[in-house]
Amino acid sequence: MVTMDDYKDGETEWCPGCGNFNILEAVKRSLVDLGKKPHEVLMVSGIGQSGKLPHYLKCNTFNSLHGRTLPPATGAKVANPVLTVIAVGGDGDSYGEGGNHFIHAIRRNPDITLIAHDNQIYGLTKGQASPTSELGMKTKVQTHGVLHTPFNPLAVAISLDCPFVARGFAGDVDHLSSLLSQAISHKGFSLVDVLQPCVTFNKLNTYKWYHDRVYKMEDDGHDPANRMAAFEKALEWGDRIPTGVFYKRDSEPFESKLDVLKSGPLIAKQYDSAKLDRVFENFS
Ligand SMILES: Cc1ncc(C[n+]2csc(CCOP(=O)(O)OP(=O)(O)O)c2C)c(N)n1
Ligand code: SF4
């Protein structure tokens, strides 16, 4: 039986009270609930406070470049489709530096889960505005307030027909871990955007600010099979902020469409080193 201790690792470097702690707890809980053994899981991250999450979990990890989380995660899933592949990144990592990969990974639809720690700020580099920062939010750099329209990851994902689109809140670990379990189990690309207070640099979107606003869509009878209703929910942001599963549909993941994998995973294949040498010679 898998237990929380199987995933236990050392000390973290996050600030006390950071929302990332609860995301880490929720990830562990969902992996334990799903009965995933650490060697069956690969966590891929980029750069950022969020990108450190895999460092604090005892499982396979791959630390990529800033914004480059999804390409290696996709590659790993293709090479070994039995792996449970989870990508984590911040809102900067996932929607800013990695914005192009976000769009095209959804279109490609590998069976991976992206957990986006959405603290609406660049945490690691000490508090610049991110793609999801609110209009007018003042930061140390945007001293007169943010001038750009915030990126809406859920609306973009739904418009691209992403097979699983959800939003969780780091202040509600039970709900978040249930969303993560559903996302990890769902076939195809799954997005879980997580509202994550950054207690050090984001003085606007605090725990209290969220507690006053978030509600669970399942309590309001939202039907995640209804794409247009999901889109409307994705546009709701203000006095009320919806959490839960916005949209889900069945899909055929990218890797199951690849003929080359019909005879088994890439990692199980023998390769001809002489052929490989010839490829390298062509480029030398
Ligand atoms: C290509 C590139 N651009 C910029 C940086 C500098 N950089 C490192 S982390 C970071 C912001 C991280 O913010 P986010 O992804 O939102 O994660 P958080 O730290 O808030 O969890 C930036 C701009 C970098 N390492 N690489
Ligand atoms: S700076 Fe913000 S995101 Fe980074 S560890 Fe501290 S509270 Fe968390």
Side-chain angles (χ1 to χ4, degrees):
M1 199 179 98
V2 188
T3 68
M4 295 289 271
D5 274 352
D6 292 320
Y7 282 97
K8 204 169 161 188
D9 216 341
E11 299 254 306
T12 74
E13 291 174 12
W14 293 323
C15 311
C18 175
N20 283 335
F21 286 102
N22 281 354
I23 301 179
L24 179 61
E25 173 73 14
V27 169
K28 278 193 210 164
R29 273 199 215 172
S30 72
L31 292 172
V32 170
D33 287 349
L34 293 171
K36 299 275 177 202
K37 299 192 179 101
H39 75 271
E40 297 169 333
V41 177
L42 170 68
M43 304 279 306
V44 184
S45 68
I47 303 297
Q49 300 285 16
S50 43
K52 295 176 189 168
L53 183 137
H55 305 183
Y56 310 139
L57 271 175
K58 216 196 271 170
C59 62
N60 299 298
T61 60
F62 185 89
N63 206 160
S64 180
L65 301 172
H66 195 34
R68 301 292 175 262
T69 316
L70 293 172
T74 305
K77 186 70 188 178
V78 169
N80 188 2
V82 300
L83 265 183
T84 295
V85 180
I86 302 172
V88 291
D91 36 298
D93 199 58
S94 308
Y95 309 139
E97 283 80 358
N100 196 28
H101 295 303
F102 176 70
I103 289 170
H104 293 289
I106 293 176
R107 291 183 50 240
R108 189 168 287 125
N109 194 32
D111 181 20
I112 63 181
T113 300
L114 170 63
I115 305 172
H117 301 218
D118 195 347
N119 56 15
Q120 294 153 277
I121 202 92
Y122 280 175
L124 190 74
T125 46
K126 299 187 166 45
Q128 304 85 0
S130 84
T132 55
S133 298
E134 310 229 351
L135 262 181
M137 181 169 118
K138 290 191 176 152
T139 74
K140 284 191 296 187
V141 177
Q142 287 75 21
T143 50
H144 296 285
V146 170
L147 300 174
H148 312 309
T149 306
F151 183 77
N152 185 327
L154 304 169
V156 171
I158 294 162
S159 75
L160 293 167
D161 212 13
C162 179
F164 186 96
V165 181
R167 178 194 278 141
F169 170 42
D172 187 344
V173 184
D174 288 344
H175 189 232
L176 179 58
S177 69
S178 139
L179 292 175
L180 294 178
S181 298
Q182 293 176 63
I184 293 165
S185 312
H186 199 84
K187 283 269 163 270
F189 193 97
S190 303
L191 167 68
V192 185
D193 182 81
V194 186
L195 304 172
Q196 176 238 319
C198 166
V199 293
T200 304
F201 295 114
N202 186 337
K203 302 296 184 191
L204 174 66
N205 311 109
T206 60
Y207 284 100
K208 178 170 183 333
W209 191 90
Y210 283 123
H211 275 299
D212 289 345
R213 289 167 173 76
V214 292
Y215 72 95
K216 298 188 183 84
M217 281 179 297
E218 53 264 39
D219 296 343
D220 269 14
H222 172 65
D223 173 11
N226 183 336
R227 191 169 172 208
M228 290 315 286
F231 196 70
E232 268 182 35
K233 286 285 175 195
L235 299 184
E236 196 177 321
W237 183 272
D239 292 344
R240 299 189 83 219
I241 298 178
T243 59
V245 182
F246 285 67
Y247 179 58
K248 66 177 176 186
R249 68 169 176 96
D250 291 338
S251 77
E252 190 188 356
F254 169 60
E255 61 278 7
S256 63
K257 295 181 198 159
L258 294 176
D259 283 344
V260 70
L261 295 180
K262 299 248 154 65
S263 53
L266 294 187
I267 53 149
K269 296 205 162 126
Q270 298 293 324
Y271 72 94
D272 180 344
S273 61
K275 263 192 193 165
L276 198 61
D277 287 345
R278 283 202 295 279
V279 172
F280 282 126
E281 274 161 26
N282 283 339
F283 285 101
S284 62

PDB file of all heavy atoms in Angstrom, residues 13-21 49-50 52 119 121-124 126 196-202, ligand 2:
ATOM      1  N   GLU A  13      12.209  25.417   0.594  1.00  0.00           N
ATOM      2  CA  GLU A  13      12.770  26.769   0.684  1.00  0.00           C
ATOM      3  C   GLU A  13      11.699  27.837   0.538  1.00  0.00           C
ATOM      4  O   GLU A  13      12.003  28.999   0.278  1.00  0.00           O
ATOM      5  CB  GLU A  13      13.832  26.957  -0.403  1.00  0.00           C
ATOM      6  CG  GLU A  13      15.081  26.121  -0.158  1.00  0.00           C
ATOM      7  CD  GLU A  13      16.061  26.198  -1.316  1.00  0.00           C
ATOM      8  OE1 GLU A  13      15.902  27.053  -2.193  1.00  0.00           O
ATOM      9  OE2 GLU A  13      16.978  25.372  -1.334  1.00  0.00           O
ATOM     10  N   TRP A  14      10.434  27.436   0.643  1.00  0.00           N
ATOM     11  CA  TRP A  14       9.357  28.413   0.470  1.00  0.00           C
ATOM     12  C   TRP A  14       9.154  29.251   1.738  1.00  0.00           C
ATOM     13  O   TRP A  14       9.477  28.817   2.851  1.00  0.00           O
ATOM     14  CB  TRP A  14       8.046  27.691   0.146  1.00  0.00           C
ATOM     15  CG  TRP A  14       8.037  27.000  -1.191  1.00  0.00           C
ATOM     16  CD1 TRP A  14       8.608  27.444  -2.342  1.00  0.00           C
ATOM     17  CD2 TRP A  14       7.416  25.742  -1.505  1.00  0.00           C
ATOM     18  NE1 TRP A  14       8.372  26.541  -3.367  1.00  0.00           N
ATOM     19  CE2 TRP A  14       7.644  25.493  -2.881  1.00  0.00           C
ATOM     20  CE3 TRP A  14       6.687  24.809  -0.766  1.00  0.00           C
ATOM     21  CZ2 TRP A  14       7.176  24.351  -3.524  1.00  0.00           C
ATOM     22  CZ3 TRP A  14       6.214  23.673  -1.411  1.00  0.00           C
ATOM     23  CH2 TRP A  14       6.460  23.454  -2.769  1.00  0.00           C
ATOM     24  N   CYS A  15       8.575  30.437   1.567  1.00  0.00           N
ATOM     25  CA  CYS A  15       8.269  31.296   2.719  1.00  0.00           C
ATOM     26  C   CYS A  15       7.179  30.629   3.568  1.00  0.00           C
ATOM     27  O   CYS A  15       6.265  30.020   3.011  1.00  0.00           O
ATOM     28  CB  CYS A  15       7.705  32.642   2.276  1.00  0.00           C
ATOM     29  SG  CYS A  15       8.629  33.491   1.009  1.00  0.00           S
ATOM     30  N   PRO A  16       7.238  30.795   4.891  1.00  0.00           N
ATOM     31  CA  PRO A  16       6.150  30.276   5.722  1.00  0.00           C
ATOM     32  C   PRO A  16       4.820  30.858   5.257  1.00  0.00           C
ATOM     33  O   PRO A  16       4.737  32.048   4.960  1.00  0.00           O
ATOM     34  CB  PRO A  16       6.498  30.788   7.129  1.00  0.00           C
ATOM     35  CG  PRO A  16       7.957  31.089   7.096  1.00  0.00           C
ATOM     36  CD  PRO A  16       8.281  31.482   5.673  1.00  0.00           C
ATOM     37  N   GLY A  17       3.803  30.019   5.128  1.00  0.00           N
ATOM     38  CA  GLY A  17       2.471  30.484   4.720  1.00  0.00           C
ATOM     39  C   GLY A  17       2.233  30.468   3.222  1.00  0.00           C
ATOM     40  O   GLY A  17       1.117  30.713   2.757  1.00  0.00           O
ATOM     41  N   CYS A  18       3.267  30.178   2.415  1.00  0.00           N
ATOM     42  CA  CYS A  18       3.108  30.148   0.958  1.00  0.00           C
ATOM     43  C   CYS A  18       2.070  29.092   0.552  1.00  0.00           C
ATOM     44  O   CYS A  18       2.052  27.986   1.104  1.00  0.00           O
ATOM     45  CB  CYS A  18       4.454  29.820   0.316  1.00  0.00           C
ATOM     46  SG  CYS A  18       4.331  29.617  -1.465  1.00  0.00           S
ATOM     47  N   GLY A  19       1.243  29.431  -0.436  1.00  0.00           N
ATOM     48  CA  GLY A  19       0.233  28.483  -0.931  1.00  0.00           C
ATOM     49  C   GLY A  19       0.834  27.215  -1.514  1.00  0.00           C
ATOM     50  O   GLY A  19       0.145  26.196  -1.650  1.00  0.00           O
ATOM     51  N   ASN A  20       2.120  27.267  -1.868  1.00  0.00           N
ATOM     52  CA  ASN A  20       2.749  26.077  -2.457  1.00  0.00           C
ATOM     53  C   ASN A  20       2.751  24.878  -1.504  1.00  0.00           C
ATOM     54  O   ASN A  20       2.727  23.738  -1.946  1.00  0.00           O
ATOM     55  CB  ASN A  20       4.192  26.388  -2.863  1.00  0.00           C
ATOM     56  CG  ASN A  20       4.262  27.188  -4.149  1.00  0.00           C
ATOM     57  OD1 ASN A  20       3.355  27.131  -4.964  1.00  0.00           O
ATOM     58  ND2 ASN A  20       5.328  27.944  -4.317  1.00  0.00           N
ATOM     59  N   PHE A  21       2.787  25.146  -0.194  1.00  0.00           N
ATOM     60  CA  PHE A  21       2.798  24.025   0.763  1.00  0.00           C
ATOM     61  C   PHE A  21       1.536  23.167   0.605  1.00  0.00           C
ATOM     62  O   PHE A  21       1.591  21.939   0.634  1.00  0.00           O
ATOM     63  CB  PHE A  21       2.874  24.534   2.211  1.00  0.00           C
ATOM     64  CG  PHE A  21       4.232  25.054   2.581  1.00  0.00           C
ATOM     65  CD1 PHE A  21       4.480  26.413   2.619  1.00  0.00           C
ATOM     66  CD2 PHE A  21       5.267  24.184   2.876  1.00  0.00           C
ATOM     67  CE1 PHE A  21       5.730  26.897   2.950  1.00  0.00           C
ATOM     68  CE2 PHE A  21       6.526  24.661   3.211  1.00  0.00           C
ATOM     69  CZ  PHE A  21       6.756  26.027   3.244  1.00  0.00           C
ATOM     70  N   GLN A  49       9.353  29.421  -8.027  1.00  0.00           N
ATOM     71  CA  GLN A  49       9.064  28.829  -6.706  1.00  0.00           C
ATOM     72  C   GLN A  49       8.248  27.560  -6.911  1.00  0.00           C
ATOM     73  O   GLN A  49       8.456  26.552  -6.234  1.00  0.00           O
ATOM     74  CB  GLN A  49       8.258  29.813  -5.853  1.00  0.00           C
ATOM     75  CG  GLN A  49       8.954  31.127  -5.592  1.00  0.00           C
ATOM     76  CD  GLN A  49      10.064  30.990  -4.573  1.00  0.00           C
ATOM     77  OE1 GLN A  49      10.527  29.893  -4.269  1.00  0.00           O
ATOM     78  NE2 GLN A  49      10.503  32.102  -4.032  1.00  0.00           N
ATOM     79  N   SER A  50       7.307  27.618  -7.841  1.00  0.00           N
ATOM     80  CA  SER A  50       6.469  26.462  -8.181  1.00  0.00           C
ATOM     81  C   SER A  50       7.320  25.336  -8.754  1.00  0.00           C
ATOM     82  O   SER A  50       7.082  24.160  -8.460  1.00  0.00           O
ATOM     83  CB  SER A  50       5.441  26.896  -9.215  1.00  0.00           C
ATOM     84  OG  SER A  50       6.092  27.708 -10.187  1.00  0.00           O
ATOM     85  N   LYS A  52       9.988  24.334  -7.925  1.00  0.00           N
ATOM     86  CA  LYS A  52      10.724  23.566  -6.904  1.00  0.00           C
ATOM     87  C   LYS A  52       9.886  22.414  -6.349  1.00  0.00           C
ATOM     88  O   LYS A  52      10.414  21.564  -5.636  1.00  0.00           O
ATOM     89  CB  LYS A  52      11.110  24.480  -5.740  1.00  0.00           C
ATOM     90  CG  LYS A  52      12.088  25.577  -6.104  1.00  0.00           C
ATOM     91  CD  LYS A  52      12.307  26.461  -4.877  1.00  0.00           C
ATOM     92  CE  LYS A  52      13.104  27.694  -5.211  1.00  0.00           C
ATOM     93  NZ  LYS A  52      13.079  28.677  -4.115  1.00  0.00           N
ATOM     94  N   ASN A 119      -0.115  32.269  -8.796  1.00  0.00           N
ATOM     95  CA  ASN A 119      -0.060  33.265  -7.708  1.00  0.00           C
ATOM     96  C   ASN A 119      -0.130  34.695  -8.240  1.00  0.00           C
ATOM     97  O   ASN A 119       0.063  35.655  -7.509  1.00  0.00           O
ATOM     98  CB  ASN A 119       1.188  33.068  -6.823  1.00  0.00           C
ATOM     99  CG  ASN A 119       2.479  33.095  -7.618  1.00  0.00           C
ATOM    100  OD1 ASN A 119       2.488  33.518  -8.770  1.00  0.00           O
ATOM    101  ND2 ASN A 119       3.562  32.649  -7.011  1.00  0.00           N
ATOM    102  N   ILE A 121       1.829  36.468  -9.874  1.00  0.00           N
ATOM    103  CA  ILE A 121       3.040  37.279  -9.657  1.00  0.00           C
ATOM    104  C   ILE A 121       4.248  36.414 -10.024  1.00  0.00           C
ATOM    105  O   ILE A 121       4.134  35.190 -10.056  1.00  0.00           O
ATOM    106  CB  ILE A 121       3.118  37.729  -8.161  1.00  0.00           C
ATOM    107  CG1 ILE A 121       3.998  38.953  -7.968  1.00  0.00           C
ATOM    108  CG2 ILE A 121       3.607  36.609  -7.233  1.00  0.00           C
ATOM    109  CD1 ILE A 121       3.270  40.244  -8.038  1.00  0.00           C
ATOM    110  N   TYR A 122       5.372  37.054 -10.315  1.00  0.00           N
ATOM    111  CA  TYR A 122       6.626  36.306 -10.438  1.00  0.00           C
ATOM    112  C   TYR A 122       7.232  36.219  -9.042  1.00  0.00           C
ATOM    113  O   TYR A 122       7.773  37.203  -8.529  1.00  0.00           O
ATOM    114  CB  TYR A 122       7.584  37.039 -11.377  1.00  0.00           C
ATOM    115  CG  TYR A 122       7.323  36.853 -12.857  1.00  0.00           C
ATOM    116  CD1 TYR A 122       8.059  37.550 -13.797  1.00  0.00           C
ATOM    117  CD2 TYR A 122       6.358  35.957 -13.319  1.00  0.00           C
ATOM    118  CE1 TYR A 122       7.842  37.378 -15.159  1.00  0.00           C
ATOM    119  CE2 TYR A 122       6.136  35.776 -14.671  1.00  0.00           C
ATOM    120  CZ  TYR A 122       6.872  36.490 -15.586  1.00  0.00           C
ATOM    121  OH  TYR A 122       6.664  36.318 -16.932  1.00  0.00           O
ATOM    122  N   GLY A 123       7.124  35.034  -8.422  1.00  0.00           N
ATOM    123  CA  GLY A 123       7.588  34.871  -7.046  1.00  0.00           C
ATOM    124  C   GLY A 123       9.109  34.782  -6.947  1.00  0.00           C
ATOM    125  O   GLY A 123       9.741  35.543  -6.215  1.00  0.00           O
ATOM    126  N   LEU A 124       9.711  33.881  -7.743  1.00  0.00           N
ATOM    127  CA  LEU A 124      11.149  33.631  -7.580  1.00  0.00           C
ATOM    128  C   LEU A 124      11.978  34.880  -7.842  1.00  0.00           C
ATOM    129  O   LEU A 124      12.974  35.125  -7.170  1.00  0.00           O
ATOM    130  CB  LEU A 124      11.604  32.503  -8.520  1.00  0.00           C
ATOM    131  CG  LEU A 124      13.021  32.012  -8.270  1.00  0.00           C
ATOM    132  CD1 LEU A 124      13.087  31.166  -7.005  1.00  0.00           C
ATOM    133  CD2 LEU A 124      13.554  31.209  -9.433  1.00  0.00           C
ATOM    134  N   LYS A 126      11.059  37.872  -7.335  1.00  0.00           N
ATOM    135  CA  LYS A 126      10.755  38.872  -6.307  1.00  0.00           C
ATOM    136  C   LYS A 126       9.707  39.923  -6.671  1.00  0.00           C
ATOM    137  O   LYS A 126       9.850  41.102  -6.354  1.00  0.00           O
ATOM    138  CB  LYS A 126      12.031  39.545  -5.800  1.00  0.00           C
ATOM    139  CG  LYS A 126      12.995  38.561  -5.164  1.00  0.00           C
ATOM    140  CD  LYS A 126      14.166  39.261  -4.518  1.00  0.00           C
ATOM    141  CE  LYS A 126      14.959  38.375  -3.593  1.00  0.00           C
ATOM    142  NZ  LYS A 126      15.274  37.047  -4.075  1.00  0.00           N
ATOM    143  N   GLN A 196      -3.075  30.396  -5.892  1.00  0.00           N
ATOM    144  CA  GLN A 196      -2.038  30.140  -4.885  1.00  0.00           C
ATOM    145  C   GLN A 196      -1.551  31.449  -4.284  1.00  0.00           C
ATOM    146  O   GLN A 196      -0.787  32.183  -4.914  1.00  0.00           O
ATOM    147  CB  GLN A 196      -0.854  29.406  -5.552  1.00  0.00           C
ATOM    148  CG  GLN A 196       0.335  29.157  -4.653  1.00  0.00           C
ATOM    149  CD  GLN A 196       1.615  29.776  -5.201  1.00  0.00           C
ATOM    150  OE1 GLN A 196       1.879  29.721  -6.392  1.00  0.00           O
ATOM    151  NE2 GLN A 196       2.418  30.355  -4.319  1.00  0.00           N
ATOM    152  N   PRO A 197      -1.991  31.794  -3.068  1.00  0.00           N
ATOM    153  CA  PRO A 197      -1.494  33.034  -2.479  1.00  0.00           C
ATOM    154  C   PRO A 197       0.034  33.046  -2.341  1.00  0.00           C
ATOM    155  O   PRO A 197       0.627  32.069  -1.880  1.00  0.00           O
ATOM    156  CB  PRO A 197      -2.163  33.063  -1.098  1.00  0.00           C
ATOM    157  CG  PRO A 197      -3.390  32.232  -1.261  1.00  0.00           C
ATOM    158  CD  PRO A 197      -3.004  31.141  -2.220  1.00  0.00           C
ATOM    159  N   CYS A 198       0.648  34.133  -2.802  1.00  0.00           N
ATOM    160  CA  CYS A 198       2.074  34.401  -2.554  1.00  0.00           C
ATOM    161  C   CYS A 198       2.077  35.447  -1.447  1.00  0.00           C
ATOM    162  O   CYS A 198       1.808  36.625  -1.709  1.00  0.00           O
ATOM    163  CB  CYS A 198       2.755  34.931  -3.814  1.00  0.00           C
ATOM    164  SG  CYS A 198       4.386  35.647  -3.489  1.00  0.00           S
ATOM    165  N   VAL A 199       2.334  34.995  -0.225  1.00  0.00           N
ATOM    166  CA  VAL A 199       2.161  35.883   0.933  1.00  0.00           C
ATOM    167  C   VAL A 199       3.229  36.980   0.994  1.00  0.00           C
ATOM    168  O   VAL A 199       3.074  37.962   1.716  1.00  0.00           O
ATOM    169  CB  VAL A 199       2.155  35.067   2.257  1.00  0.00           C
ATOM    170  CG1 VAL A 199       0.927  34.182   2.341  1.00  0.00           C
ATOM    171  CG2 VAL A 199       3.428  34.242   2.413  1.00  0.00           C
ATOM    172  N   THR A 200       4.278  36.824   0.220  1.00  0.00           N
ATOM    173  CA  THR A 200       5.371  37.793   0.291  1.00  0.00           C
ATOM    174  C   THR A 200       5.224  38.919  -0.735  1.00  0.00           C
ATOM    175  O   THR A 200       5.440  40.087  -0.404  1.00  0.00           O
ATOM    176  CB  THR A 200       6.727  37.075   0.092  1.00  0.00           C
ATOM    177  OG1 THR A 200       6.814  36.047   1.070  1.00  0.00           O
ATOM    178  CG2 THR A 200       7.906  38.016   0.240  1.00  0.00           C
ATOM    179  N   PHE A 201       4.840  38.582  -1.965  1.00  0.00           N
ATOM    180  CA  PHE A 201       4.852  39.614  -3.008  1.00  0.00           C
ATOM    181  C   PHE A 201       3.488  40.012  -3.547  1.00  0.00           C
ATOM    182  O   PHE A 201       3.358  41.065  -4.164  1.00  0.00           O
ATOM    183  CB  PHE A 201       5.760  39.181  -4.174  1.00  0.00           C
ATOM    184  CG  PHE A 201       7.198  39.068  -3.777  1.00  0.00           C
ATOM    185  CD1 PHE A 201       7.842  37.844  -3.767  1.00  0.00           C
ATOM    186  CD2 PHE A 201       7.915  40.195  -3.382  1.00  0.00           C
ATOM    187  CE1 PHE A 201       9.171  37.732  -3.380  1.00  0.00           C
ATOM    188  CE2 PHE A 201       9.242  40.103  -2.997  1.00  0.00           C
ATOM    189  CZ  PHE A 201       9.871  38.862  -2.990  1.00  0.00           C
ATOM    190  N   ASN A 202       2.477  39.177  -3.376  1.00  0.00           N
ATOM    191  CA  ASN A 202       1.154  39.557  -3.883  1.00  0.00           C
ATOM    192  C   ASN A 202       0.268  39.945  -2.703  1.00  0.00           C
ATOM    193  O   ASN A 202      -0.277  39.085  -2.004  1.00  0.00           O
ATOM    194  CB  ASN A 202       0.522  38.402  -4.676  1.00  0.00           C
ATOM    195  CG  ASN A 202      -0.780  38.825  -5.335  1.00  0.00           C
ATOM    196  OD1 ASN A 202      -1.423  39.779  -4.896  1.00  0.00           O
ATOM    197  ND2 ASN A 202      -1.171  38.112  -6.376  1.00  0.00           N
TER     198      ASN A 202
HETATM  199  S1  SF4 B   2       7.935  34.414  -2.687  1.00  0.00           S
HETATM  200 FE1  SF4 B   2       5.743  33.940  -2.760  1.00  0.00          FE
HETATM  201  S2  SF4 B   2       5.609  32.142  -4.120  1.00  0.00           S
HETATM  202 FE2  SF4 B   2       7.735  32.325  -3.444  1.00  0.00          FE
HETATM  203  S3  SF4 B   2       7.887  30.999  -1.648  1.00  0.00           S
HETATM  204 FE3  SF4 B   2       7.494  33.083  -0.919  1.00  0.00          FE
HETATM  205  S4  SF4 B   2       5.265  33.180  -0.715  1.00  0.00           S
HETATM  206 FE4  SF4 B   2       5.723  31.416  -1.999  1.00  0.00          FE
END
